[in-house]
């Protein structure tokens, strides 16, 4: 037994060391979602042009506010309030030295790079789609007909708003290797999903790199539009957990003589939920005020989230085994449950760190699936083990004719079954939502996806609190006699199938950025030609 516990502790320590290494890597790639940094990024060739995706976010239209009467020294004046904009800051393009040396030193312009901001609904105005042409860059024939200027991206201006789509040109001069984009701010006066791309059509500029940053802001702050409602949601959920905690505490104090170990575990989950929601709220509030994710708060929020998920699943598992109601201990299976919890915490923490702190471009595709797959498989394993244990517990209660406990466990089983069915249905909805919205045009509804899981976990916790609340009943938690045999389950095909649904969801999300680029610039039909070249 001592050897088993020692081995388990050794394995847990190895896992934690791995997690710290991952954290050190992720912390160097902090995402600053509303402040997009470009650090010597390369352009990608698409057909006969070269693209760099500078960012895409849902932005609300600027609000019209009266200018407050303030004195010149009034520190409370906030001119950005109510303004929605995209600002280009210190954008620099660097072309290869051998390319610059080929140019004429006296020539004023020896290469043009364009920054293009387009609302996703106006994507048909980019390229030659409206002329029944697949061209993105203007060619001699189109220039001769007066549709565009040679060497530039074809843009058809909006008749109602001739300034959009936005085009900002930057030229290299003579033999200069660098070209600096003018500091410029575009105010957003129309709510929509906006894409920013840097494009050049001159093949001689191949190998050019971009550095600098762009700042995106909504009227109420720097939170991206699809994340803004979550700040209010987490604030409300913090109050909901606080209310649940107060009610549970009153019940706890009222029946403190009848408290069992299980009640302390439920209290821990409620406390973790309160901390988690409060941390996420403050993380979003800080993000909204500064435009950058506060790394310290985010790390704590992610960690509390992973701990709460782990403890919640372990709580469901031990309750389904009858712990605290039918049996005072879990016997020899305790070490296996602890190991399972440790593995799940590490897998969940790693995935959450990548989702909220890591540069998602560094963890896309197969690398990201490597982190999603363990969590999906472990979730499936938990579900199968929980329902297998519930089945055995219900069978024992029927044999022993413990009617009060049997009724309690039937209600618990029904609540858990409903939550699983809702989860499966919601996963299906997520798959449909992501598949039907490759360009994130439904960004104003995207916040309900993560909000659902938070709300479902809260409601399930409320059900457990109601069913297993402290009581003066002398027989409610009286333990049954019987052997505490070990219960185990192997990972079956059903678990893999369930995990497959979660993995499919991630695969669809990973394809959204590349699909969006093709749709916005009408390149989906040109990729095959690209390959042939």
């Amino acid at each position: 037994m001592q050897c088993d516990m020692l081995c388990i502790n050794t394995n847990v320590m190895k896992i934690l060391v791995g997690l710290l290494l991952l954290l050190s890597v992720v912390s160097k790639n902090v995402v600053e979602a509303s402040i997009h940094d470009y650090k010597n990024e390369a352009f990608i060739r698409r057909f006969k042009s070269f693209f760099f995706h500078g960012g895409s976010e849902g932005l609300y239209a600027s609000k019209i506010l009266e200018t407050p009467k303030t004195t010149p020294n009034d520190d409370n004046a906030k001119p950005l309030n109510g303004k929605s904009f995209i600002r280009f800051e210190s954008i620099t393009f660097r072309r290869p030295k051998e390319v610059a040396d080929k140019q004429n030193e006296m020539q004023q312009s020896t290469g043009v790079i364009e920054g293009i901001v387009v609302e996703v609904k106006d994507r048909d105005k980019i390229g030659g789609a409206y002329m029944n042409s697949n061209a993105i860059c203007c060619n001699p024939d189109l220039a001769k007909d007066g549709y565009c200027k040679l060497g530039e991206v074809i843009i058809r201006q909006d008749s109602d708003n001739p300034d959009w789509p936005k085009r900002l040109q930057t030229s290299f001069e003579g033999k200069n290797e660098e070209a600096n984009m003018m500091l410029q701010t575009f105010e957003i006066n129309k709510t929509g999903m906006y894409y920013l791309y840097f494009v050049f059509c001159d093949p001689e500029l191949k190998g050019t790199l971009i550095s600098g940053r762009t700042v995106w802001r909504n009227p109420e702050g720097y939170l991206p539009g699809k994340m803004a409602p979550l700040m209010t949601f987490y604030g409300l959920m913090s109050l909901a957990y606080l209310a649940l905690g107060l009610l549970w505490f009153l019940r706890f104090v009222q029946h403190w003589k009848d408290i069992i170990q299980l009640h302390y575990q439920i209290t821990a989950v409620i406390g973790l939920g309160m901390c988690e929601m409060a941390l996420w709220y403050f993380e979003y509030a800080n993000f909204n005020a500064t435009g950058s994710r506060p790394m310290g708060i985010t790390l704590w929020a992610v960690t509390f989230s992973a701990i709460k998920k782990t403890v919640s699943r372990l709580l469901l598992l031990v309750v389904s085994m009858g712990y605290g109601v039918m049996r005072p201990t879990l016997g020899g299976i305790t070490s296996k449950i602890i190991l399972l919890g440790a593995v799940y915490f590490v897998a969940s923490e790693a995935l959450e760190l990548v989702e909220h702190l890591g540069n998602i471009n560094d963890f896309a595709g197969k690398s990201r699936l490597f982190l999603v797959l363990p969590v999906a498989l472990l979730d499936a394993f938990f579900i199968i083990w929980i329902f297998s244990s519930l089945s055995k517990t219900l069978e024992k209660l029927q044999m022993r004719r413990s009617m009060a406990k049997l009724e309690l466990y039937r209600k618990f089983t029904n609540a858990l079954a409903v939550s699983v069915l809702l989860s499966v249905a919601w996963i299906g909805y997520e798959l449909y939502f992501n598949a039907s919205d490759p360009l994130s045009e439904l960004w104003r509804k995207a916040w309900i996806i993560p909000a659902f899981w938070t709300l479902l976990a809260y409601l399930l916790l409320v059900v457990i609190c109601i069913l297993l609340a402290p009581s003066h009943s002398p027989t409610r938690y009286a333990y049954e006699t019987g052997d505490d045999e070990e219960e185990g389950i192997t990972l079956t095909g059903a678990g893999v199938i369930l995990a497959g649904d979660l993995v499919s969801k991630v695969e669809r999300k990973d394809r959204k950025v590349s699909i969006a680029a093709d749709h916005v610039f009408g390149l989906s039909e040109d990729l095959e030609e690209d390959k042939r070249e």
Side-chain angles (χ1 to χ4, degrees), residues 36 53-62 84-86 116-123 158 161 163-166 186-197 214 216-219 224-225 439-441 443-444 516 520-521:
H36 296 263
H53 180 218
S56 57
E57 285 185 20
L59 295 174
Y60 291 95
S62 296
S84 181
F85 59 77
I86 302 174
I116 298 173
V117 182
V118 57
E119 186 186 358
V120 69
K121 294 181 179 179
D122 296 330
R123 60 186 179 275
D158 189 341
N161 189 3
D163 291 335
W164 286 88
K166 287 288 186 181
F186 295 145
E187 188 170 341
I188 305 298
N189 295 315
K190 182 181 177 183
T191 299
M193 171 59 68
Y194 289 87
Y195 279 79
L196 167 62
Y197 280 89
T214 55
W216 305 56
R217 191 183 192 280
N218 269 295
L439 301 180
S440 299
E441 293 179 85
W443 58 276
R444 279 178 282 189
V520 169
F521 288 96

Side-chain angles (χ1 to χ4, degrees), residues 220-481:
E220 303 297 334
Y222 291 97
L223 269 179
K226 65 181 180 180
M227 296 173 64
L230 285 173
M231 185 172 69
T232 302
F233 173 77
Y234 286 131
L236 294 175
M237 288 304 301
S238 297
L239 296 177
Y241 270 98
L242 179 61
L244 178 62
L246 289 175
L247 293 174
W248 180 261
F249 177 75
L250 292 175
R251 187 80 174 185
F252 199 93
V253 172
Q254 184 181 3
H255 303 283
W256 66 272
K257 292 183 179 180
D258 301 290
I259 297 302
I260 59 174
Q261 190 66 32
L262 182 63
H263 293 140
Y264 289 105
Q265 295 178 3
I266 296 175
T267 303
V269 174
I270 296 174
L272 288 169
M274 292 170 60
C275 294
E276 179 194 13
M277 294 299 104
L279 284 169
W280 279 123
Y281 174 77
F282 286 117
E283 197 265 355
Y284 274 56
N286 192 295
F287 187 2
N288 190 53
T290 64
S292 302
R293 305 203 81 147
M295 184 174 177
I297 300 177
T298 306
L299 281 173
W300 278 108
V302 165
T303 301
F304 268 90
S305 181
I307 294 174
K308 186 208 153 193
K309 286 181 180 178
T310 303
V311 176
S312 298
R313 282 156 177 74
L314 293 178
L315 176 62
L316 291 174
L317 181 58
V318 298
V319 169
S320 68
M321 291 178 176
Y323 175 68
V325 178
M326 288 188 61
R327 53 202 297 186
T329 67
L330 293 173
I333 203 170
T334 303
S335 58
K336 295 181 180 179
I337 294 176
I338 293 174
L339 179 59
L340 176 62
V343 172
Y344 185 85
F345 166 74
V346 172
S348 180
E349 176 84 348
L351 181 59
E352 291 284 336
L353 285 172
V354 169
E355 290 283 353
H356 295 95
L357 286 177
N359 187 337
I360 203 63
N361 293 326
D362 294 338
F363 293 93
K366 294 181 179 179
S367 299
R368 189 158 176 256
L369 284 178
F370 177 76
L371 296 174
V372 174
L373 187 59
V375 177
L377 291 174
L378 287 169
D379 275 328
F381 187 90
F382 265 115
I383 291 173
I384 297 171
W385 196 354
I386 287 170
F387 278 98
S388 174
S389 300
L390 276 174
S391 177
K392 294 179 181 179
T393 302
L394 289 171
E395 184 178 350
K396 291 177 184 177
L397 289 173
Q398 286 177 336
M399 292 176 59
R400 297 170 184 176
R401 299 184 180 277
S402 301
M403 302 310 297
K405 295 180 182 180
L406 180 61
E407 183 64 21
L408 184 148
Y409 265 86
R410 280 177 176 170
K411 291 179 180 179
F412 175 70
T413 303
N414 291 337
L416 201 57
V418 169
S419 68
V420 170
L421 290 175
L422 288 175
S423 299
V424 173
W426 194 253
I427 289 173
Y429 173 74
E430 283 191 60
L431 293 174
Y432 168 77
F433 185 90
N434 293 322
S436 61
D437 186 36
L439 301 180
S440 299
E441 293 179 85
L442 301 176
W443 58 276
R444 279 178 282 189
K445 300 180 181 179
W447 69 275
I448 66 174
I449 300 296
F452 170 84
W453 297 111
T454 301
L455 185 59
L456 182 63
Y458 176 78
L459 293 177
L460 190 56
L461 179 59
V462 170
V463 171
I464 292 176
C465 289
I466 294 173
L467 293 177
L468 300 175
S471 171
H472 282 318
S473 175
T475 59
R476 188 176 185 187
Y477 299 115
Y479 301 124
E480 302 285 345
T481 58

